[in-house]
Amino acid sequence: MTLRDKTADETPRSWVRAVLYDATIRGWVFQGLVLLALILFAVWVVHNTAANLRAANIPFGFDFLNMRAGFDISQKPIDYTLDSSHAQAFKVGLLNTIIVSVLGIILATIIGFVVGISRLSRNWLLARAATVYIETLRNVPLLLQLLFWYKAVLSVLPGPRQGYVLPFSANLSNRGLTMPRPIPGEGFEIVMWSVPVAVALAWAIARWAKNRQAATGQSFPVFRASLGIVVGLPVVLFVVLGAPLSFEIPELKGFNFAGGMVVHPELIAMLLGISLYTATFIAETVRAGILAVSTGQSEAAFSLGLRPRQTMRLIVVPQAMRVIIPPLTSQYLNLTKNSSLALAIGYPDLVAVFAGSTLNITGHAIEVIAITMAVYLALSLITAALMNWFNARVALVER
């Protein structure tokens, strides 16, 4: 064999060897094999499930969503009757889940930040009270806390006639929190549309003030200006349009109230339980984030004449947010998924309405469970995407 033939024979081998030992190519090959295995497994599961359903004479499809539901729902944020479809029942359950999740996130965040900062307070009583709250509630299962608020607190309240009278014609009883119901008038939609317009203006002012400070070094009261626009513009339009909003006052008739709006005990118990429980973990996250900020930052702020509250608000917390936000996202996701425990106290969330009543009536277990899982997956992904966007906004960008 000549030298030329030997070189020609080794060229394919060296090329194959280079391909096999290339980390990038090898990684793509392994990922492709894993993806192919997953696709084949999914096809096998679908085929096997379809064969079993045919053998058991169980229909598969989503036509049941257009069927008459035939069951009532205690709390209905949108129009719903016994003659409504299962698709409408799904919407009611989804909205109830979103309501308790969004309100729970807001309340848990506020309570968690207050308690987390309080635990670092120099006030001995305040710090110990925050510690007792955290160590007590986070070590008790959430389900037990929900049952406590619903069975031991709200269920033992007096009836509507002996209920606790609250300001603004509200009443708290074992039937829930009864409040006046707002009735929008002509032109009120203009007031509602002014809110996002005011938010957009506030955002524009914040961007302008940031660029102005970077160029000239002069600061601008962004918070006060933004607050004035967000609050002032809708209020001015509300007054100019003649206050196009009235209220239906609840009236006690017989053994219950007529008119107004009612926040049912199930929703109150859910908000109390899920917010106070999640707030304990948020408080520890906030405390860890604040402790992660160097004490030299506070000392430098004090040397400049800033007070402790100003130092915490302007120096420490903004830096601590870079540490707080990632674990805070996990707590928001946990709160959204923990809302499924509402079934235990009768709150009509997505699991109770759709994965409960609809599944039992129609028998389409696979379709119902698949839709329910997809909804919780979508809610978690949306929450994570929003928090990741916010985290990118406050992250420290190295030059």
Side-chain angles (χ1 to χ4, degrees):
M1 180 182 295
T2 64
L3 181 61
R4 179 179 299 178
D5 295 335
K6 184 177 181 181
T7 304
D9 184 61
E10 289 181 353
T11 300
R13 296 181 181 179
S14 61
W15 180 82
V16 172
R17 187 181 298 109
V19 170
L20 292 177
Y21 285 95
D22 186 272
T24 303
I25 297 177
R26 189 170 64 248
W28 280 105
V29 171
F30 287 150
Q31 292 182 54
L33 293 175
V34 172
L35 179 61
L36 179 62
L38 291 176
I39 293 175
L40 293 177
F41 177 74
V43 171
W44 175 80
V45 170
V46 172
H47 177 74
N48 189 46
T49 302
N52 292 334
L53 290 175
R54 285 194 300 268
N57 291 324
I58 299 177
F60 180 84
F62 299 92
D63 295 338
F64 70 95
L65 293 173
N66 298 322
M67 296 170 53
R68 179 179 180 271
F71 61 89
D72 194 16
I73 301 177
S74 59
Q75 183 163 319
K76 303 178 281 286
I78 58 176
D79 293 334
Y80 176 85
T81 62
L82 294 176
D83 296 326
S84 298
S85 63
H86 287 288
Q88 190 72 1
F90 166 78
K91 295 177 183 178
V92 173
L94 175 60
L95 287 176
N96 285 336
T97 296
I98 293 175
I99 288 172
V100 74
S101 299
V102 172
L103 294 179
I105 286 174
I106 295 174
L107 292 175
T109 302
I110 296 173
I111 298 172
F113 269 80
V114 172
V115 175
I117 296 174
S118 298
R119 193 172 182 186
L120 297 173
S121 174
R122 296 182 179 179
N123 187 310
W124 184 88
L125 181 60
L126 183 62
R128 293 301 178 273
T131 302
V132 170
Y133 161 74
I134 292 173
E135 297 301 331
T136 301
L137 267 67
R138 75 170 179 171
N139 290 304
V140 177
L142 176 58
L143 181 59
L144 292 180
Q145 296 188 38
L146 294 177
L147 294 174
F148 167 79
W149 288 111
Y150 185 63
K151 294 292 186 181
V153 177
L154 297 174
S155 296
V156 298
L157 290 175
R161 285 188 171 276
Q162 295 79 28
Y164 298 102
V165 180
L166 303 176
F168 306 106
S169 302
N171 185 281
L172 180 62
S173 65
N174 55 10
R175 302 292 179 87
L177 179 62
T178 306
M179 301 180 297
R181 182 170 69 92
I183 302 177
E186 185 178 358
F188 186 74
E189 64 276 3
I190 299 177
V191 179
M192 295 301 297
W193 279 109
S194 68
V195 175
V197 172
V199 172
L201 289 175
W203 177 80
I205 290 176
R207 290 293 300 270
W208 169 81
K210 182 179 180 180
N211 295 333
R212 176 174 177 261
Q213 185 173 5
T216 64
Q218 297 178 356
S219 62
F220 184 81
V222 177
F223 178 75
R224 286 180 291 178
S226 301
L227 182 63
I229 293 176
V230 173
V231 177
L233 181 59
V235 170
V236 170
L237 287 176
F238 183 79
V239 174
V240 170
L241 294 174
L245 183 67
S246 59
F247 291 89
E248 182 184 61
I249 306 300
E251 297 180 0
L252 185 61
K253 294 183 178 180
F255 296 100
N256 203 352
F257 285 94
M261 59 181 295
V262 181
V263 180
H264 294 277
E266 293 81 8
L267 176 56
I268 299 175
M270 277 299 301
L271 289 178
L272 287 174
I274 205 169
S275 300
L276 294 175
Y277 176 76
T278 308
T280 59
F281 297 95
I282 294 178
E284 287 296 274
T285 301
V286 171
R287 184 173 73 94
I290 293 175
L291 292 177
V293 179
S294 174
T295 56
Q297 299 290 318
S298 300
E299 294 172 354
F302 294 152
S303 66
L304 294 175
L306 293 180
R307 298 179 179 179
R309 291 184 180 179
Q310 293 176 318
T311 301
M312 181 64 69
R313 180 171 60 89
L314 300 175
I315 306 298
V316 177
V317 172
Q319 297 184 70
M321 290 298 294
R322 297 162 184 158
V323 181
I324 293 172
I325 291 177
L328 186 64
T329 304
S330 299
Q331 297 306 324
Y332 288 170
L333 297 178
N334 290 336
L335 187 147
T336 303
K337 291 179 287 188
N338 286 338
S339 64
S340 60
L341 293 175
L343 179 65
I345 59 175
Y347 177 73
D349 73 325
L350 182 65
V351 174
V353 173
F354 195 64
S357 300
T358 295
L359 190 153
N360 292 330
I361 292 174
T362 63
H364 289 262
I366 296 178
E367 300 92 320
V368 170
I369 296 301
I371 294 175
T372 305
M373 292 173 62
V375 167
Y376 277 101
L377 177 61
L379 292 177
S380 298
L381 292 178
I382 292 173
T383 303
L386 292 175
M387 293 300 295
N388 288 336
W389 171 83
F390 182 63
N391 186 38
R393 296 282 296 177
V394 302
L396 182 62
V397 179
E398 297 184 359
R399 297 182 184 273

